[in-house]
């Protein structure tokens, strides 16, 4: 749950005046997004989400994120569309922070995804990859293989507090992944954080993707690997091959895999597991005692990492070439 | 900011099905209310607020609060109206907690109230007192003079951490207030927590009162005293007699004061200051180190208490008989 920047009624009324959204009727801070402060704003023109970018988001990256959402919307993808402040700019400043207003998306995220949700996710992710293929801005993935070493260095001395031998296991893993990480897979804009809370549904139909603040330029199949980890394991840790097959089939109907993507999938899944393991470990060790925010369990991702280490072919994920 | 109970999409869809509000379209946890978890729920039937009552609220009090809101709405007051679950009941259960849906009120609370807001508040509070005069349920005020002794007892040993001599000063104050506390003032339903964040405005017009979860049966003038403290002091601690006069004049146009209320006002203001001082002191000493919630400063209310101790007549508040 986010810590909110306080926004006064007077500041907000002034901030929204350049937008073509009518009069301010109400606004509420909402418990969505961990990195930023978000408000649901109601005006005579409709519902909008106002985001204040807090310090964990690099200000220089904001044009990439906002232009990407605008580009994807124009291509017909359901995602938040940033509003123009009347001067061609999508970014303003509010309460001392960069801020943007985006359209409100109906829908809810699914706490317990079923097979049909996984199929929809696969389709929606592939549509995003295709819609972004002619987006002309580039943002390297700061949390890909080059970014993992600093995270491991920052957590190495205290990793044993979570599990004895954890630092040693992760060091071996990272060395192996660094040596084998593929360089020439089909690349484009990926979401890089398509966890269930960023995918909205109305009934069993995907109604939109949100939270593009980890989006970057990277291998499409790495986005798929992140989703295999986030959507296709059961709460007890078991891999659900039926969900994986549904997701991958949904994806391939829109964008087929190359044979290189097929071959690399187990390795990419290991990498994607290590990436979330490391950031969760970092957060776990950083949260002060007594804090009200419960960090996510890094060990969930160690179990996923170990699962993928035993996978010899993408066929294990229900995929057939 | 509240800590939220997690509510799943499936649980919520099931919970709202008995209401006549159509299909669920979205819901967001909102940062409103310290005692309960609140969600803004959007359905094909409109916007609603869903409240889950957390353990600080006594379940036995809920019928009083919900029936009161229903009564006040029926009298034409703008306040959240609890929805019927189709069986005549306003209270249901969700995620293991008592839960209710109420209508959504447009408007925003004013961070820096001006004179015209104080005048509107006075009018709105008096209208609430009048509208509640034929409400037939009774709830004693647990945070009136009899409730202060246990709070002082619970904080006495550590009050010096906030200010040297604080426990001694509060003991003298409480003894004096207990001896002099008036028993026969005009009584009825009071809100008892009409701070600016519970009063919504659209422009300079009051659009509604919210959060009736401290409402109780007590002296009307005690509600007025709470508001004098909450609305008529400037951030630098100075009492603003112009705001007080505007608020009291707004109130008296709807419901005139008796001479007993006039005479007791300085004493009631001292009591109201002590009440918020004690609960803030309790919260201040209870919050764990490193917690993300910053408790409200109890000393603000010590300064207000001392101000009222020097007041000899309600004329100081801009009131003339």
């Amino acid at each position: 749950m986010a810590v909110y920047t306080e926004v006064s009624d007077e500041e907000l009324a002034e901030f929204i005046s350049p937008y073509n959204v009518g009069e301010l009727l109400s606004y509420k801070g909402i418990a969505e997004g961990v990195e930023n402060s978000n408000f649901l704003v109601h005006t005579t023109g409709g519902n909008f989400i106002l985001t204040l970018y807090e310090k964990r988001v690099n200000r220089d990256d904001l044009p990439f994120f906002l232009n990407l959402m605008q580009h994807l919307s124009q291509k017909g993808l359901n995602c938040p569309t940033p509003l123009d402040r009347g001067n061609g700019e999508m970014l303003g400043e509010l309460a001392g922070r960069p801020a943007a207003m985006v359209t409100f998306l109906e829908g809810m995220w699914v706490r317990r995804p079923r097979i049909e949700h996984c199929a929809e996710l696969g389709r929606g992710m592939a549509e995003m990859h295709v819609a972004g293929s002619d987006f002309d801005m580039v943002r390297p993935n700061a949390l890909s293989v080059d970014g993992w070493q600093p995270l491991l260095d920052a957590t190495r001395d205290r990793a044993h507090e979570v599990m004895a031998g954890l630092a040693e296991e992760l060091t071996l893993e990272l060395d192996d992944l660094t040596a084998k990480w593929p360089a020439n897979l089909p690349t484009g804009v990926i979401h890089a954080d398509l966890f269930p809370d960023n995918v909205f549904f109305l009934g069993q139909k995907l109604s939109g993707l949100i939270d593009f603040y980890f989006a970057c330029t990277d291998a499409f199949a790495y986005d798929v690997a992140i989703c295999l980890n986030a959507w296709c394991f059961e709460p007890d840790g078991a891999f659900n091959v039926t969900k994986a097959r549904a997701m991958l089939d949904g994806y391939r109907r829109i964008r087929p895999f190359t044979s290189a993507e097929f071959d690399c999938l187990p390795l990419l899944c290991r990498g994607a597991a290590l990436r979330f393991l490391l950031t969760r470990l970092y957060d776990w060790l950083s949260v002060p005692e007594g804090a009200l925010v419960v960090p996510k369990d890094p060990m969930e991702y160690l179990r996923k990492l170990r699962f993928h280490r035993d996978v010899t072919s993408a066929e294990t994920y229900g995929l057939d070439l």
Side-chain angles (χ1 to χ4, degrees), chain A:
Chain A
M1 193 177 50
V3 176
Y4 299 103
T5 297
E6 269 287 332
V7 173
S8 81
D9 49 318
E10 290 167 336
E11 282 177 303
L12 181 57
E14 193 187 320
F15 177 81
I16 73 160
S17 64
Y19 296 101
N20 187 23
V21 295
E23 292 293 308
L24 183 59
L25 293 176
S26 66
Y27 68 105
K28 317 272 183 202
I30 58 175
E32 213 149 274
V34 184
E35 308 285 324
N36 300 314
S37 298
N38 289 295
F39 296 84
L40 203 162
V41 175
H42 187 204
T43 75
T44 48
N47 284 317
F48 304 92
I49 298 285
L50 165 71
T51 301
L52 274 63
Y53 300 99
E54 303 292 346
K55 57 176 181 281
R56 279 183 76 160
V57 172
N58 185 342
R59 195 176 188 131
D60 295 339
D61 287 334
L62 293 175
F64 178 89
F65 301 140
L66 295 171
N67 282 300
L68 173 61
M69 287 188 271
Q70 190 183 51
H71 177 92
L72 295 174
S73 299
Q74 283 167 355
K75 291 274 176 173
L77 201 88
N78 273 335
C79 69
T81 314
L83 274 64
D84 190 315
R85 286 180 61 74
N87 56 359
E89 294 289 322
M90 294 180 282
L91 200 60
E93 185 161 315
L94 179 56
R97 285 157 179 79
M101 291 251 289
V102 302
T103 54
F104 179 84
L105 281 194
E106 298 294 357
M108 288 147 288
W109 68 271
V110 177
R111 272 65 180 175
R112 292 188 299 183
R114 295 191 302 269
I115 295 162
E116 52 271 32
H117 297 119
C118 295
E120 279 282 284
L121 166 70
R123 185 184 58 73
M125 174 169 44
E127 286 176 348
M128 195 210 97
H129 290 170
V130 172
S133 59
D134 59 345
F135 182 60
D136 60 5
M137 296 178 76
V138 170
R139 179 178 178 261
N141 187 356
L143 289 173
S144 185
V145 65
D146 291 341
W148 301 338
Q149 188 69 54
L151 281 168
L152 180 55
D153 293 343
T155 50
R156 189 187 307 277
D157 291 349
R158 292 184 53 207
H160 64 88
E161 295 174 23
V162 174
M163 190 194 80
L166 182 58
E168 293 72 15
E169 181 168 350
L170 298 186
T171 301
L172 288 174
E173 183 68 29
L174 180 52
D175 288 348
D176 194 43
L177 287 174
T178 305
K180 295 175 181 162
W181 199 248
N184 296 310
L185 295 175
T187 289
V189 175
I190 69 168
H191 184 285
D193 196 35
L194 271 183
F195 279 61
D197 56 340
N198 289 331
V199 183
F200 284 179
F201 287 86
L202 282 171
Q204 292 171 14
K205 288 290 158 200
L206 197 155
S207 63
L209 308 178
I210 65 162
D211 200 348
F212 285 79
Y213 301 110
F214 286 98
C216 54
T217 314
D218 204 344
F220 293 129
Y222 183 62
D223 227 6
V224 175
I226 290 169
C227 289
L228 277 170
N229 284 330
W231 291 74
C232 303
F233 286 83
E234 297 303 312
D236 67 1
F239 182 72
N240 186 323
V241 69
T242 314
K243 288 182 176 177
R245 186 179 293 120
M247 194 188 93
L248 295 168
D249 285 350
Y251 186 93
R252 292 199 293 174
R253 269 198 279 277
I254 307 295
R255 184 189 162 269
F257 287 123
T258 65
S259 62
E261 287 177 305
F262 179 89
D263 293 338
C264 287
L265 204 51
L267 190 78
L268 295 172
C269 284
R270 281 168 60 193
L274 182 64
R275 172 256 182 268
F276 287 98
L277 200 171
L278 285 169
T279 49
R280 286 188 178 191
L281 180 61
Y282 183 88
D283 290 343
W284 188 273
L285 297 173
S286 306
V287 168
E289 296 252 357
L292 290 174
V293 174
V294 180
K296 290 179 178 153
D297 181 13
M299 294 301 281
E300 177 192 335
Y301 269 79
L302 181 64
R303 289 186 288 271
K304 291 176 180 179
L305 174 56
R306 287 174 172 174
F307 172 83
H308 296 301
R309 215 188 275 146
D310 292 333
V311 172
T312 50
S313 151
E315 284 165 2
T316 306
Y317 305 132
L319 204 61
D320 46 89
L321 242 190

